[in-house]
Amino acid sequence: MGEALNIIRHLRTYRRNGRLDREGLQALQLRKFRDMVRHAMDNTEFYAQLYDGVDPDKVVPRDLPVVTKADLLSHFHEFLTDSTLRRADLEEFVTDPDNIGKFYRDKYVLFHTSGTTGQTTVMVYDREAFEHIKAVGLVRGFDRPASPWTALRAAINPNKSRFAIVVITGGLYPAVTNFHYMPRATSAFFEMKLFSLFTPMQELVEQLNDYQPWFLVGYPSVIQALAYEQKAGRLHILDGPPRRSVATLSEPLLPQVRRLVEEV
């Protein structure tokens, strides 16, 4: 329950930040950016050397050199703020499907990228950081205001909001990882069901028609395919009460896909 309450608290903060005017938002971004640079310099070997001579109280993004995935992979241990973590151990953990939903050393969330650029990468978050990740995702995909009263109403409502998540399953991939690590207490507020991208389209359509989600989350390419199914009359979802929505992740959302989804 504590993790769920932390997520709600962070969600309220990010929603409040989103109401800032342009000047206020830019000031907040710069302050947070400088905090991040200072933290990286103080806690990692790599950035301490790379940013030698940088004043974290005055730095702006254009002052810093570009860092690539190749840099990360060739200096992996120097990137991490926990010097006891070893790349081989992390890679072994993320390639074992039995570890889906488990915390590494009881405090880290691990996942690996899909390798579409030619090289996979292991990402490491501690529990607190991942609470922020989940809060940001909720701000993007869930437009209801967050408050204790909203949470209470959701908890006592027998007709829970239903989220359908259509992503790559079967491994610790970025998109699906966020949903595998939702705190158990969130089931008191809404329902969430994962659907595999590998499911044949006809079967996936049948599953979604049976589930009748209020909110649909997936890659833009998948959402586009489902929009065509809805347009053809085979899929029948998101056509009930108001406040139903679609959120995309991982891939760029092209203008023509957005228009198609809005149309159907």
Side-chain angles (χ1 to χ4, degrees), residues 133-222:
I133 292 292
K134 284 180 275 196
V136 169
L138 286 171
V139 167
R140 291 183 63 244
F142 194 51
D143 65 351
R144 297 183 182 182
S147 70
W149 174 240
T150 305
L152 177 61
R153 283 193 299 175
I156 63 177
N157 187 351
N159 189 21
K160 304 294 184 191
S161 301
R162 291 187 295 276
F163 285 75
I165 320 296
V166 187
V167 288
I168 294 175
T169 56
L172 284 165
Y173 301 104
V176 73
T177 297
N178 189 41
F179 302 104
H180 277 304
Y181 288 86
M182 293 296 288
R184 293 178 182 176
T186 56
S187 62
F189 307 109
F190 57 83
E191 295 180 17
M192 183 186 70
K193 187 172 182 179
L194 292 171
F195 296 83
S196 176
L197 175 65
F198 303 121
T199 304
M201 182 55 70
Q202 181 179 348
E203 185 179 342
L204 178 60
V205 166
E206 292 173 356
Q207 292 175 358
L208 290 171
N209 281 336
D210 288 341
Y211 186 59
Q212 283 299 305
W214 296 23
F215 304 95
L216 179 65
V217 182
Y219 313 115
S221 54
V222 178

Side-chain angles (χ1 to χ4, degrees), residues 13-14 16-38 56-62 64 136:
T13 297
Y14 289 125
R16 184 174 63 248
N17 291 347
R19 292 194 293 267
L20 293 171
D21 60 23
R22 187 177 186 84
E23 183 178 346
L25 184 58
Q26 288 178 335
L28 174 64
Q29 289 172 331
L30 183 58
R31 185 168 71 252
K32 292 292 187 179
F33 170 75
R34 288 171 174 171
D35 289 343
M36 182 172 62
V37 170
R38 183 180 296 103
D57 293 323
K58 298 179 180 179
V59 67
V60 294
R62 64 176 175 271
L64 301 180
V136 169

